[in-house]
Amino acid sequence: MFAFLRLTAKRLVSLPLMLLGVTLLVFVVLQFSPNDPAYNALGDGASPEARAAYRAEQGLDDPLPVRYVRFLGQLVQGDLGYTAPPAAPVIDRVVTAFPLTIQLTVLGLVLAVAGALALGVTGALRRDRWPDQVTRVLSIAGVAMPAFWLGILLIQEFALNLPIFPTGGYVNPADSIGGWLLSLALPALAIAVPAAASLSRLVRTSMVEELDKDYVRTATGNGLPRAIVVRGALRNALITPLTVLGLRVGYLLSGAVVIETIFDLPGMGKLILEGVTNGDVALVQGAVLTIALAFLVVNLVVDLLYLVVNPRIRVV
């Protein structure tokens, strides 16, 4: 237990350092943007003198370290700045858009894990037979499919040719659970397929290794029901795939940002696209930082979950 608490504290301590590194990277990269905040704020008709005065007033001519420290101070207070005119707090835009991205990512994660378990366990239990070959082909095909390309195909087949799902748009679950599921079904499937395909190969490999261990053979030889043996082996086999689940969630999150623009979902992807299109550095910066923070938090949760399910870590 002491070892578990020590490792947990170690990961919690490292989180602020990683956050600091992410903020520094995002801030520095966006400072090289060709977009002039003074031009975006004052418009085409502003004189060079007015723009210079605006830059001086906002501290945009200060040295980069000074601006970064000021940015950190605002960030600690929950201030992500203001969008280009019409000016609005970036944090308000993020709070409105981020829940949809989380919903899409979680739904895609559920589908990805379910698909990975189905393909991986089937391949392991029927190794080197035709079900294993089929699951292998499906997993390779799934890995080769870019999420955005699959999303376009899904729209073509299941929204246009077979009008089962909407081509895009979002329905709030408070208005209609059924409409909400229909609006997110195709986007979630588009980001889930590549993740499920890559995870399934890892699940299969781990499951095969576990089924070949002596304790499984002993339990099977002693007449223990196969379902119980498989369930026990599966729990141990999932320890390895769990280590990469955090990265897969990050891929799902980034994939959701891209897919949102294809399905016209008002999430973080559309927010970033709007910021890039309008040259709104503050909006892009706030959205990217929010996604990066979510990625770090998800990886922290997965690390802690790994410590819980892996008994070897707990007794170190």
Side-chain angles (χ1 to χ4, degrees), residues 113-125 199-213 215-216 219-220 225-243 306 309-312:
V113 170
L117 289 176
L119 292 175
V121 173
T122 299
L125 295 179
L199 276 176
S200 67
R201 305 313 303 163
L202 190 57
V203 171
R204 180 199 178 276
T205 301
S206 299
M207 190 68 177
V208 167
E209 293 176 353
E210 205 67 28
L211 291 174
D212 286 340
K213 290 184 177 178
Y215 81 91
V216 174
T220 303
R226 181 173 174 80
I228 296 178
V229 176
V230 170
R231 187 160 54 243
L234 177 61
R235 179 180 177 183
N236 293 331
L238 289 181
I239 292 177
T240 300
L242 189 60
T243 61
Y306 177 68
V309 301
N310 191 347
R312 289 173 295 183

Side-chain angles (χ1 to χ4, degrees), residues 69-80:
V69 172
R70 183 165 58 240
F71 168 72
L72 285 181
Q74 295 172 342
L75 194 61
V76 170
Q77 301 173 13
D79 182 7
L80 295 176

Side-chain angles (χ1 to χ4, degrees), residues 1 24 35 42 60 89 92 113 117 147 167 173 179 183-184 186 195 200 210 227 236 239 241 249 279 286 292 299:
M1 177 59 72
L24 179 60
N35 296 295
L42 301 179
L60 299 177
D92 291 347
V113 170
L117 289 176
T167 57
S183 66
L184 293 186
L186 294 184
S200 67
E210 205 67 28
N236 293 331
I239 292 177
V249 173
N299 276 273

Side-chain angles (χ1 to χ4, degrees), residues 283-305:
L283 186 59
V284 175
Q285 183 172 260
V288 171
L289 280 176
T290 303
I291 294 173
L293 173 61
F295 179 79
L296 291 177
V297 171
V298 166
N299 276 273
L300 174 64
V301 172
V302 171
D303 283 345
L304 297 181
L305 184 60

Side-chain angles (χ1 to χ4, degrees), residues 12-304:
L12 290 175
V13 169
S14 65
L15 181 61
L17 297 178
M18 290 187 291
L19 287 176
L20 187 64
V22 168
T23 59
L24 179 60
L25 178 63
V26 172
F27 180 81
V28 171
V29 168
L30 288 180
Q31 295 310 303
F32 292 97
S33 169
N35 296 295
D36 184 4
Y39 178 85
N40 292 336
L42 301 179
D44 297 340
S47 64
E49 293 77 12
R51 293 176 188 172
Y54 178 87
R55 295 183 63 85
E57 180 184 353
Q58 299 296 322
L60 299 177
D61 294 326
D62 293 340
L64 188 63
V66 174
R67 283 182 283 152
Y68 177 64
V69 172
R70 183 165 58 240
F71 168 72
L72 285 181
Q74 295 172 342
L75 194 61
V76 170
Q77 301 173 13
D79 182 7
L80 295 176
Y82 289 84
T83 64
V90 172
I91 187 66
D92 291 347
R93 300 291 306 277
V94 169
V95 168
T96 301
F98 192 56
L100 189 151
T101 301
I102 291 297
Q103 293 170 27
L104 179 56
T105 302
V106 171
L107 191 56
L109 178 63
V110 172
L111 294 176
V113 170
L117 289 176
L119 292 175
V121 173
T122 299
L125 295 179
R126 299 289 187 270
R127 75 176 96 168
D128 299 328
R129 301 176 186 175
W130 70 265
D132 187 22
Q133 301 302 325
V134 171
T135 58
R136 186 173 302 176
V137 170
L138 291 176
S139 64
I140 294 174
V143 171
M145 290 184 185
F148 69 89
W149 179 76
L150 180 58
I152 294 173
L153 288 184
L154 291 174
I155 292 176
Q156 180 67 36
E157 293 299 326
F158 299 105
L160 297 177
N161 295 342
L162 296 174
I164 302 174
F165 299 95
T167 57
Y170 174 70
V171 177
N172 195 303
D175 299 330
S176 171
I177 294 295
W180 173 75
L181 286 173
L182 286 175
S183 66
L184 293 186
L186 294 184
L189 185 60
I191 64 172
V193 167
S198 60
L199 276 176
S200 67
R201 305 313 303 163
L202 190 57
V203 171
R204 180 199 178 276
T205 301
S206 299
M207 190 68 177
V208 167
E209 293 176 353
E210 205 67 28
L211 291 174
D212 286 340
K213 290 184 177 178
D214 292 337
Y215 81 91
V216 174
R217 296 175 179 174
T218 302
T220 303
N222 289 335
L224 198 65
R226 181 173 174 80
I228 296 178
V229 176
V230 170
R231 187 160 54 243
L234 177 61
R235 179 180 177 183
N236 293 331
L238 289 181
I239 292 177
T240 300
L242 189 60
T243 61
V244 300
L245 184 60
L247 293 177
R248 299 305 178 201
V249 173
Y251 294 147
L252 287 171
L253 190 60
S254 60
V257 169
V258 175
I259 287 297
E260 285 171 357
T261 61
I262 296 176
F263 287 88
D264 193 28
L265 299 174
M268 298 297 287
K270 195 169 184 179
L271 205 64
I272 293 176
L273 180 61
E274 176 187 336
V276 171
T277 302
N278 297 332
D280 195 335
V281 175
L283 186 59
V284 175
Q285 183 172 260
V288 171
L289 280 176
T290 303
I291 294 173
L293 173 61
F295 179 79
L296 291 177
V297 171
V298 166
N299 276 273
L300 174 64
V301 172
V302 171
D303 283 345
L304 297 181

